[in-house]
Amino acid sequence: MDFEPDPTHAAFREEVRTFTRENVPHDLARRTYIGLHPPLIEDYRRWQRIKHARGWGAPHWPVEYGGTGWSPMQEHIFLEELYRADALDYGWQGTHMIGPVLIAFGSEAQKRRFLPPLLSGEEYWCQGFSEPNAGSDLAALRTRAELAGDEWIINGQKIWTSDAQYADWGFFLVRTDPNVKPQQGISLLLVPMNAPGITIRPIESISGGHELNEVFLDQVRVPRENLVGEPGRGWTYAKYLLDKERTASAYLYQNKRELEKAKEIARAEAVNGRRLIDTPEFAHKLARVEADLLALEWSVLRILCDEHNVHDPVAVVSALKIRGSEMQQRVAQLQIDALGPRALRTFPHYELAAALDVTPLWPSYVRGRTAQFLHLRAATIYGGSREIQKNIIAKRAFGL
Ligand SMILES: Cc1cc2nc3c(=O)[nH]c(=O)nc-3n(C[C@H](O)[C@H](O)[C@H](O)COP(=O)(O)OP(=O)(O)OC[C@H]3O[C@@H](n4cnc5c(N)ncnc54)[C@H](O)[C@@H]3O)c2cc1C
């Protein structure tokens, strides 16, 4: 491994930094700094439009579909700079999930229809996989789709569907053949979220935000050609992404930015007339988190430089997911510790969205910290729970 700074990387970083300095809207950056979750959908659309105009709507996509052809290190630098500038990094269901799946397995007509509005931020997507009795055990999903003439008719229920209330489209795993092995009877369908028969019911989160939903599908009809790839291959397509997104599960960039905020709080807060960051107790806690985050960063860099893919990619994603999500919770805890009693004041979501003026009592760094701390309790659940990741590592890395 050679991490010596490459002069072309320095120039590239400067290019991205100039772009963010000149283009990230101030109010959007303010809301991202606060950690408004979920963000305003209009912020997502606006920022996606800006990135798209620069040719950076989905840098990791192949060039022929609007990507950039950047190296993994360039993508790494790009994301680092986005977080540094409090630019929004959201809507991964579209750009990082269904987009790459359509590129790999979609029909030409699907690519033509769906990729351009996804890239430009015009159309927003949600992911309909989990069901009340099919989360970790996703293969147990029961939502059915039956072919009737030229249409699929869908019946069933999804749960924990992030942003379903905003989404124009959803990609849904559905059972199309109940008579084969569970994984083999699952297909992937593209569903317009305004289709008759869809009911979206909100689930309020512990943080006060509304991201999650139940989605009920009652005789929902979609055209036959909305099936992605072949029937019965939905499971394969759903797993395909693991190989592509090897380091995203580490949440490295978010962790680094949030650690900076923890330091900012600790520099500003005082205990017995002394800056909190200078007290041995806090300095010790901070150093431990920072050292572990540095270790995570090196793990990510090792994977990015692992050109020969010597590690099992699925086990790598799981290991990074465990460490990354735990780091998110530890960094958030550090922020809460630094805030002390101020952390007890939680701000309603609408107040966070409005980003009200700061006061000496509630400086800018207070707002949103408690909501985010509460939201991040879910970090070790979504995207596959910690226990499931450990099972995967046991199987794939150690053959147990
Ligand atoms: C904030 C948030 C956003 C989400 N967004 C989406 C979304 O947009 N779309 C979507 O489809 N889903 C989404 N999900 C759902 C998420 O994928 C599931 O919550 C997750 O897969 C866990 O499934 P479950 O909730 O059914 O828990 P369960 O599978 O019931 O698990 C409950 C507990 O049992 C443990 N457990 C289960 N099986 C095993 C086992 N074999 N060995 C050891 N322990 C086990 C789990 O680790 C967990 O602690 C979201 C979830 C959250 C919290």
Side-chain angles (χ1 to χ4, degrees), residues 127 129-130 135-136 160-162 212 378 381-382 385 387-388 391:
Q127 175 203 8
F129 285 14
S130 305
S136 303
W160 314 123
T161 320
S162 301
L212 300 170
I381 299 173
Y382 55 69
S385 73
E387 291 72 27
I388 295 301
N391 286 350

Side-chain angles (χ1 to χ4, degrees), residues 66-117:
T68 57
W70 288 345
S71 67
M73 274 313 276
Q74 284 177 301
E75 286 179 32
H76 168 78
I77 291 167
F78 178 68
L79 284 170
E80 217 168 37
E81 289 301 317
L82 287 199
Y83 276 86
R84 204 180 148 274
D86 292 324
L88 193 56
D89 179 29
Y90 200 68
W92 277 43
Q93 301 98 304
T95 49
H96 286 67
M97 298 178 99
I98 192 62
V101 166
L102 288 177
I103 288 170
F105 305 107
S107 65
E108 285 311 310
Q110 286 170 345
K111 291 177 195 173
R112 269 197 309 276
R113 163 64 187 85
F114 293 112
L115 296 180

